[in-house]
Amino acid sequence: MDIQGLGYVGVRAKSLEDWTSFGTKFLGMQLTDRSAKSLALRMDDRKQRVVVSEDGGEGVGFYGWEVADAASLQSFAARLEKAGVQVARGSRALADERRVKDLIVLSDPLGNRVEIFHGAETATDAFKPGRSISGFRTGPLGLGHVVMHTVNTDEMVKFYRDLLGFRLTDYYSSPFKATFMHLNPRHHSLAFIETGKNAVHHMMMELYSFDDVGQGYDIAQGENRVATTLGRHTSDFITSFYSWTPSNFMVEYGWGARDIDVQNWKAYERKEGPSMWGHDRTWLSKDDQDKARALRLANAEKGFRQPVQVLDGNYNRMPGVCPWWDQMKAQKTG
C-alpha cells in the first residue's frame, strides 16, 4: 500500500492566461481542458498532471500522491484513521475532476491539502508539447518532485515518514537546513527547506534532452524569469535552473537526474551543500548566498565530481584515447 510517486499538483493562480503561456510556451506542457476558472496541463500519457485554478491565490492548493489500486487506498485510509488523522473520502465528482478512479483527502501538519488516489486516467492520443521539446521523464518516477518551505522540518518529516511511508534519502544543514525523501528510484519526490515560513518552494520537472533545458533557459532569461541560475546538484546530480511561476513559487527545470537503489539505500548527511557548481539563488539572503558560493568553491578545490547520468540511446561515445582519463578510471576502480 506504499505511495508510488507524485501524481499531480493543483496550482492556485490569479490569471489563467499567465499560466497558459507559462505552462505551454515555456515549460512545454500540453493544454487540455480549459474552463472559465481552471485549466489542465498534460506532460505525458496521463490526461492531466498540473491543474490550475483561478481563485486569486498563489502557491499550490493540493498535492496528489499515487497508490497502486483500490485495496491500497482503503488500507491507507484505515491506517491513517487509526493513527488519529482526519480522512475524508473524495466524492465521485471530485474523482472525475481529478481524472482518477478514487481518492482520499487529508491535511499535513502545515495544513497542506494531501490527496491520495489510484487509477489515473490515461489519454488515447499522443502527448503534444506546447513547444518543441523531447518530453518529460515521468512514468514510475512520478511527475517529478516538490519542495516545501517549513518552520519545523522535523514535524513534517515525522508525518510523511511515519504515516505516509516516505523514506529519508539525505539531508544537510548549510547554507540552510534541507531534508530529502524518496518513494521510488527518483532521489527525492519530496523535500523540505527550513526557511521560517510555510509554503511551497518549488516543483521539479525533468526533461529527456539537455538541449530542452538549455533552450528553456534562453526563454527564461529573455522573460526575466530566472530565479536560480544553471547549475548541478550534489543530491540527484541533475543539471537545472529554476524559474518563477505566475503563482509566486518556482519550477526547477532539469536533465540527467540519477536513480537510487531504493532497497539498499542508507540515509546520510551531505557535507557538500546543495550544488556542485552554479545555482546562484536570488531568493537567498546575501549571507546565505555567500555560504552557498563558499561550499561550491570548496567542492571545486577538492575536485568534487560525479558521473553524468544518461539514458541508453541518448548519448554518443567520443572516439580516441585519453591517457589522463584512463588513469583516473584506474584509480577509481583500483
Side-chain angles (χ1 to χ4, degrees), residues 1 5 34 64 66 77 86 152 170 195 216 234 242-243 264 267 274 301:
M1 66 178 184
R34 170 74 188 264
E66 184 169 9
Q86 187 173 356
N152 186 338
D170 55 33
T195 60
T234 59
Y242 296 58
S243 63
N264 298 306
E301 187 172 347

Side-chain angles (χ1 to χ4, degrees), residues 134-182:
S134 60
F136 298 95
R137 188 173 179 232
T138 57
L141 299 177
L143 182 162
H145 71 235
V146 290
V147 177
M148 300 178 187
H149 293 280
T150 65
V151 172
N152 186 338
T153 294
D154 294 341
E155 179 185 34
M156 293 291 277
V157 169
K158 183 178 180 181
F159 177 85
Y160 280 92
R161 180 192 60 207
D162 298 348
L163 294 180
L164 299 190
F166 286 70
R167 296 175 286 277
L168 184 63
T169 309
D170 55 33
Y171 55 95
Y172 59 80
S173 57
S174 182
F176 43 80
K177 181 178 179 179
T179 305
F180 302 82
M181 309 187 80
H182 65 271

Side-chain angles (χ1 to χ4, degrees), residues 14-230:
K14 295 179 179 178
S15 167
L16 290 185
E17 293 303 322
D18 289 346
W19 258 99
T20 298
S21 176
F22 179 80
T24 59
K25 295 179 182 178
F26 170 56
L27 294 178
M29 291 189 287
Q30 176 185 350
L31 178 65
T32 54
D33 296 335
R34 170 74 188 264
S35 68
K37 290 295 183 180
S38 68
L39 60 86
L41 295 160
R42 276 181 67 183
M43 47 191 305
D44 53 15
D45 63 337
R46 297 286 177 90
K47 284 196 173 179
Q48 60 187 30
R49 287 288 196 178
V50 175
V51 179
V52 183
S53 299
E54 188 179 87
D55 63 0
E58 294 179 332
V60 169
F62 54 86
Y63 302 89
W65 299 100
E66 184 169 9
V67 295
D69 50 35
S72 298
L73 186 64
Q74 291 307 312
S75 296
F76 233 114
R79 190 177 79 181
L80 290 169
E81 288 174 333
K82 186 176 180 180
V85 177
Q86 187 173 356
V87 177
R89 267 62 178 183
S91 66
R92 182 70 259 154
L94 180 61
D96 290 343
E97 187 178 324
R98 298 290 192 261
R99 303 283 192 171
V100 300
K101 287 184 178 178
D102 199 6
L103 74 161
I104 58 174
V105 182
L106 55 139
S107 296
D108 70 15
L110 297 185
N112 294 306
R113 181 181 171 105
V114 175
E115 300 182 356
I116 302 174
F117 73 93
H118 81 93
E121 293 182 24
T122 57
T124 56
D125 56 319
F127 168 64
K128 297 178 182 178
R131 70 174 179 90
S132 183
I133 59 170
S134 60
F136 298 95
R137 188 173 179 232
T138 57
L141 299 177
L143 182 162
H145 71 235
V146 290
V147 177
M148 300 178 187
H149 293 280
T150 65
V151 172
N152 186 338
T153 294
D154 294 341
E155 179 185 34
M156 293 291 277
V157 169
K158 183 178 180 181
F159 177 85
Y160 280 92
R161 180 192 60 207
D162 298 348
L163 294 180
L164 299 190
F166 286 70
R167 296 175 286 277
L168 184 63
T169 309
D170 55 33
Y171 55 95
Y172 59 80
S173 57
S174 182
F176 43 80
K177 181 178 179 179
T179 305
F180 302 82
M181 309 187 80
H182 65 271
L183 295 164
N184 55 52
R186 195 182 288 283
H187 176 274
H188 57 286
S189 293
L190 177 65
F192 305 107
I193 298 177
E194 195 163 292
T195 60
K197 62 180 180 179
N198 296 327
V200 62
H201 183 274
H202 75 264
M203 171 172 63
M204 187 280 290
M205 298 178 178
E206 185 180 357
L207 286 296
Y208 276 122
S209 170
F210 191 26
D211 292 328
D212 292 338
V213 176
Q215 289 161 359
Y217 195 54
D218 279 346
I219 296 171
Q221 286 182 310
E223 296 179 355
N224 197 31
R225 287 193 180 276
V226 176
T228 300
T229 61
L230 191 69

Side-chain angles (χ1 to χ4, degrees), residues 278-304:
H279 283 159
D280 278 318
R281 296 162 173 84
T282 60
W283 47 270
L284 275 180
S285 68
K286 176 64 166 59
D287 184 49
D288 283 345
Q289 286 187 48
D290 290 343
K291 290 179 183 177
R293 178 173 288 275
L295 284 167
R296 296 198 305 270
L297 292 176
N299 289 338
E301 187 172 347
K302 295 171 185 175
F304 183 77

